[in-house]
């Protein structure tokens, strides 16, 4: 068989694909270098921390159009695109018959979040749900005390797994341990048990900190991506003025964000995520200092 007749392998297609992608990227950069105003807008947002390649690919197609000479339009277009890429999960009106499992790395605010959500669902919405807490954190010493404290203060029962089958609660909030591999298997078995022995829906939320660096966000996300995540929750938005790593992460992963934790106060410092809030916080970073 002559070389050129040999069937193309998957690896070769992959290589070609990568090459085309690279060509696209350098082409975009090249095109933009001939359009000063587009380049200026790219630079502004690179300064704000957005991914340069992403910006170039997005704006290159506008070179040669009437937008090219209009900075306001270029910025508006970019913000529009950002807005469309940020996905949020609305809280909705029917929150019950649900077990919400909170997973994520250590020290990022999971237990505080369980407290905040517990108060929210029990007392702060139009409908008062019957909430219970469940602690699935076997490792961290003191972890149970923290949740016990919230349970006492909020008059929300801290239940055991056996209590799930009674179907007595509208919402069960599950606090978990950190992000080690073994814990992940435990979470998987917990989800199986709930699905097999109760009629609750399972909702899995991954908690990430807005203060984490891009690589750390990615690393944690990669660990938990194996589970079927329903939503992301970002904490500690009050602790950083630079939300670019969070925004880049959201652009890349397109997972819906449900809640945002914006401080240590329980239950006050929790808000339902909206695209407006995320974008405003990102754009106004300097004004807040
Ligand atoms: N500034 C700030 N601190 C927070 C926020 N959420 C939680 N914390 C703090 O982060 C620390 C760890 O919280 P904790 O809920 O125990 O984290 P866990 O280990 O993930 O359960 C505590 O001191 C919390 O008060 C937040 O949104 N902003
Ligand atoms: Mg905890």
């Amino acid at each position: 068989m002559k070389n050129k007749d040999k069937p193309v392998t998957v690896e070769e297609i992959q290589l070609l694909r990568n090459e085309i992608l690279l060509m696209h990227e350098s082409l975009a950069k090249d095109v933009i270098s001939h359009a000063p105003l587009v380049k200026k807008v790219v630079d502004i947002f690179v300064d704000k921390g957005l991914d340069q390649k992403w910006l170039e690919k997005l704006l290159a197609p506008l070179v040669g159009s009437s937008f090219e000479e209009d900075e306001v339009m270029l910025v508006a277009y970019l913000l529009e695109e950002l807005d469309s890429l940020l996905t949020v999960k609305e809280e909705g009106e029917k929150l019950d018959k649900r077990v919400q499992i909170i997973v994520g790395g250590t020290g990022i605010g999971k237990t505080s979040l369980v407290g905040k959500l517990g108060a929210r669902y029990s007392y702060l919405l139009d409908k008062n749900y019957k909430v219970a807490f469940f602690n699935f954190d076997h490792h961290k010493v003191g972890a149970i005390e923290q949740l016990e404290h919230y349970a006492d203060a909020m008059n929300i029962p801290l239940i055991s797994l056996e209590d799930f089958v009674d179907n007595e609660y509208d919402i069960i909030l599950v606090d978990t341990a950190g992000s080690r591999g073994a814990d992940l298997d435990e979470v998987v078995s917990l989800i199986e048990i709930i699905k097999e022995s109760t009629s609750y829906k399972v909702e899995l939320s991954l908690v990430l900190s807005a203060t984490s660096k891009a690589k750390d966000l990615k690393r944690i996300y990669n660990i938990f991506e194996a589970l079927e995540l329903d939503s992301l929750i970002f904490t500690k938005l009050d602790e950083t003025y630079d939300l670019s790593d969070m925004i880049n992460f959201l652009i890349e992963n397109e997972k819906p964000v449900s809640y945002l934790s914006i401080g240590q106060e329980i239950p006050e410092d929790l808000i339902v995520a909206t695209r407006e809030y995320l974008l405003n916080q990102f754009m106004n970073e300097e004004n807040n200092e």
Side-chain angles (χ1 to χ4, degrees):
M1 203 188 276
K2 275 187 286 174
N3 204 22
K4 72 174 174 41
D5 296 330
K6 263 207 321 216
V8 185
T9 64
V10 175
E11 287 76 24
E12 282 170 327
I13 293 174
Q14 194 70 43
L15 275 175
L16 263 176
R17 199 169 159 266
N18 289 346
E19 253 173 64
I20 291 170
L21 279 177
L22 276 175
M23 269 164 57
H24 265 295
E25 276 168 11
S26 52
L27 215 67
K29 196 181 181 68
D30 198 46
V31 164
I32 281 172
S33 70
H34 299 296
L37 214 50
V38 180
K39 186 165 184 331
K40 182 181 164 197
V41 172
V42 167
D43 288 344
I44 292 172
F45 282 86
V46 168
D47 265 357
K48 281 185 132 344
L50 288 190
D51 184 61
Q52 181 165 356
K53 290 196 183 109
W54 180 79
L55 288 163
E56 285 168 347
K57 267 193 272 182
L58 179 71
L59 293 180
L62 299 187
V63 175
S65 77
S66 55
F67 278 27
E68 179 186 324
E69 304 292 336
D70 189 339
E71 186 175 337
V72 176
M73 285 303 279
L74 286 170
V75 171
Y77 176 80
L78 211 157
L79 290 179
E80 186 78 21
E81 185 67 19
L82 265 181
D83 189 70
S84 74
L85 286 177
L86 298 175
T87 36
V88 293
K89 182 174 185 294
E90 279 170 29
E91 191 171 55
E93 270 160 28
K94 194 181 174 311
L95 295 173
D96 57 349
K97 294 304 160 203
R98 191 165 59 96
V99 176
Q100 185 169 5
I101 305 178
I102 304 295
V103 294
T106 27
I108 45 162
K110 292 187 303 299
T111 307
S112 315
L113 182 79
V114 167
K116 288 171 182 169
L117 287 173
R120 180 174 177 85
Y121 298 146
S122 304
Y123 310 112
L124 302 175
L125 299 174
D126 290 341
K127 180 172 164 41
N128 293 344
Y129 291 96
K130 199 166 173 202
V131 178
F133 291 142
F134 174 63
N135 183 61
F136 196 59
D137 186 342
H138 309 296
H139 305 276
K140 201 168 117 188
V141 182
I144 185 74
E145 282 83 355
Q146 194 185 347
L147 196 60
E148 240 162 15
H149 172 73
Y150 299 148
D152 284 348
M154 294 169 189
N155 209 9
I156 291 175
L158 188 57
I159 62 171
S160 66
L161 192 52
E162 292 79 52
D163 299 329
F164 280 42
V165 290
D166 296 343
N167 211 19
E168 193 183 325
Y169 301 97
D170 297 327
I171 302 170
I172 301 175
L173 290 165
V174 179
D175 191 14
T176 66
S179 56
R180 287 156 300 213
D183 299 331
L184 213 64
D185 296 338
E186 288 175 14
V187 173
V188 172
S189 351
L190 175 69
I191 293 173
E192 271 167 22
I193 294 172
I194 296 170
K195 283 188 174 162
E196 276 164 20
S197 53
T198 79
S199 55
Y200 288 105
K201 280 196 300 261
V202 174
E203 182 178 334
L204 192 63
S205 303
L206 173 63
V207 186
L208 295 166
S209 169
T211 61
S212 292
K213 294 196 284 274
K215 280 189 179 164
D216 295 325
L217 290 174
K218 217 184 168 92
R219 184 179 57 83
I220 296 280
Y221 183 72
N222 287 344
I223 293 175
F224 285 101
E225 211 189 357
L227 305 174
E228 266 174 55
L229 295 174
D230 295 289
S231 71
L232 302 174
I233 296 174
F234 274 87
T235 59
K236 309 200 183 184
L237 269 82
D238 56 308
E239 282 194 0
T240 178
Y241 292 115
D242 178 8
L243 294 177
S244 59
D245 284 348
M246 181 184 88
I247 297 289
N248 281 324
F249 174 87
L250 291 175
I251 292 172
E252 202 183 316
N253 295 294
E254 292 182 53
K255 269 270 170 216
V257 183
S258 52
Y259 296 98
L260 302 170
S261 169
I262 54 168
Q264 289 183 294
E265 294 303 318
I266 298 170
E268 296 89 330
D269 290 335
L270 180 77
I271 58 173
V272 174
T274 64
R275 296 202 298 255
E276 293 79 8
Y277 186 89
L278 287 168
L279 262 189
N280 279 338
Q281 289 299 110
F282 170 62
M283 291 304 291
N284 293 336
E285 59 196 45
E286 285 90 11
N287 305 345
N288 295 338
E289 276 172 73

